Amino acid sequence: MSTETFRALMARKTDAGQAIAIETITEAELPAGDVTVDVEYSSFNYKDGLALKGMSRILRALPMVPGIDFAGTVRASDNPAFAPGDKVVLTGWGVGENWSGGFAERAKVKGEWLVKLPAGLTPRQAMAIGTAGLTAMLCVDALERYGITEGGDVLVTGAAGGVGSVAVRLLSRLGYKVSALTGRPAEADFLKSLGAIDIVDRATYAAAGKPLAGERWHGAVDTVGGTILANVLAATRYGGAVAACGLAAATDLPTTVFPFILRNVALLGVDSVNCPTPRRLAAWTRLGEILTEADFDLVTREVTLEDLPQVAEDIIVGGVRGRTVVRI
């Protein structure tokens, strides 16, 4: 094990809960994974904001390095599937929650959690979309597999956030007519630049509605849950589908069976944390095929480790647009 030191954002337990600080550590303070990665980029997600703020018990094994995803170059490997020099990406699997994650210059993880970056995707591009981009691609894939075809009217909720913004861009690129639901009217121009043809005021769907509303959407990507998801289901057309992947607004679902049994609407659950590796690789490959360099720049801003405490404050109150890539 190397005794070289490197920088890491560490979370440690205190009498008041937890403290976050940039420290200089060695590999001895990382878990005993079989692949060591020189981290080039990570990204900042809503879950990372919760982790740094000590909310929702995201960090379960202090002390540890937060950061639920990263991309970089294999430094050393005891896993036959990976060799030094391989470009890899990691999202999910509890990393950054119960296993030290990506907010450090080095990470040690289980090789089974890694995916080799497809040709054409750089570590920065992978983290420009990160977990949110993978989740968005899985949602789009779920709608496609269900039979929601290009040209259909599709709604994206929480559209100015990480998953939502990438979903808007992907769906637009694939030929869908995308409407973007947001509670931030100031982001209308940004969402239209991603390809949204219509901006839907969040207030339209925030209050409890009827069990069935007028049929409007062939499909939807929902990142928020709660009453908004219930109203989206009620407004989905016969035979349509909603891919649900988030709970930014609420964890409950105050709906009835009417959309499901009277309109044959499907609710498709999407998980990216424990998604099987073959599906992950397929999703990353498609992301590299669909999105251009301009797309990655369009949805992304770049920060450093020093910026992360403030980014955590911002993302919790809904003050972050699109994706935040962390230059390690």
Side-chain angles (χ1 to χ4, degrees):
M1 180 181 296
S2 173
T3 58
E4 296 176 13
T5 61
F6 54 91
R7 297 169 71 241
L9 187 71
M10 289 291 292
R12 297 188 183 275
K13 189 173 183 179
T14 67
D15 292 340
Q18 71 178 36
I20 302 287
I22 296 176
E23 301 180 16
T24 300
I25 66 172
T26 69
E27 288 183 17
E29 297 187 66
L30 298 178
D34 59 358
V35 180
T36 304
V37 179
D38 286 326
V39 179
E40 298 172 35
Y41 290 93
S42 183
S43 67
F44 204 85
N45 304 276
Y46 185 75
K47 186 180 285 187
D48 294 314
L50 295 174
L52 266 60
K53 295 295 291 179
M55 301 166 66
S56 299
R57 294 186 67 249
I58 300 297
L59 300 180
R60 302 170 192 167
L62 298 179
M64 69 177 297
V65 178
I68 65 171
D69 51 15
F70 64 79
T73 304
V74 172
R75 180 185 186 89
S77 175
D78 293 323
N79 187 308
F82 298 94
D86 287 344
K87 296 293 185 181
V88 293
V89 59
L90 183 146
T91 63
W93 302 116
V95 172
E97 298 179 67
N98 49 39
W99 188 285
S100 281
F103 295 157
E105 293 175 333
R106 200 172 297 175
K108 295 192 72 174
V109 297
K110 296 181 180 181
E112 64 201 65
W113 298 340
L114 293 169
V115 172
K116 289 184 181 180
L117 272 180
L121 265 186
T122 67
R124 188 187 186 281
Q125 289 173 330
M127 287 298 98
I129 49 179
T131 289
L134 176 65
T135 305
M137 188 70 254
L138 293 172
C139 287
V140 173
D141 179 65
L143 293 178
E144 289 177 331
R145 285 187 289 113
Y146 190 77
I148 309 303
T149 56
E150 62 180 274
D153 293 301
V154 178
L155 178 70
V156 177
T157 70
V163 177
S165 61
V166 180
V168 170
R169 193 58 171 170
L170 287 170
L171 289 162
S172 174
R173 283 282 189 198
L174 290 169
Y176 293 87
K177 293 181 286 187
V178 186
S179 294
L181 184 146
T182 182
R184 294 184 269 170
E187 302 294 357
D189 289 342
F190 167 64
L191 293 168
K192 289 180 179 178
S193 75
L194 297 180
I197 61 173
D198 184 37
I199 307 301
V200 180
D201 187 345
R202 177 185 175 124
T204 306
Y205 283 75
K210 297 179 179 179
L212 288 176
E215 297 181 59
R216 187 169 182 185
W217 316 111
H218 293 99
V221 173
D222 177 69
T223 70
V224 298
T227 299
I228 290 175
L229 174 54
N231 286 326
V232 172
L233 288 166
T236 300
R237 298 187 187 189
Y238 189 94
V242 178
C245 64
L247 42 70
T251 59
D252 64 333
L253 182 55
T255 189
T256 70
V257 299
F258 290 160
F260 311 114
I261 66 173
L262 297 183
R263 289 191 181 159
N264 199 31
V265 170
L267 179 59
L268 311 174
V270 175
D271 162 67
S272 66
V273 174
N274 297 298
C275 177
T277 297
R279 185 168 291 177
R280 287 174 185 267
L281 180 57
W284 282 113
T285 301
R286 285 200 73 195
L287 284 164
E289 293 169 348
I290 297 170
L291 299 177
T292 67
E293 181 62 38
D295 292 330
F296 291 107
D297 292 337
L298 191 60
V299 298
T300 305
R301 65 166 179 160
E302 187 172 298
V303 300
T304 65
L305 288 178
E306 287 80 3
D307 298 320
L308 296 190
Q310 183 58 54
V311 178
E313 296 279 353
D314 295 341
I315 203 168
I316 292 300
V317 298
V320 171
R321 166 204 282 186
R323 299 284 301 133
T324 299
V325 63
V326 185
R327 187 177 69 252
I328 304 296

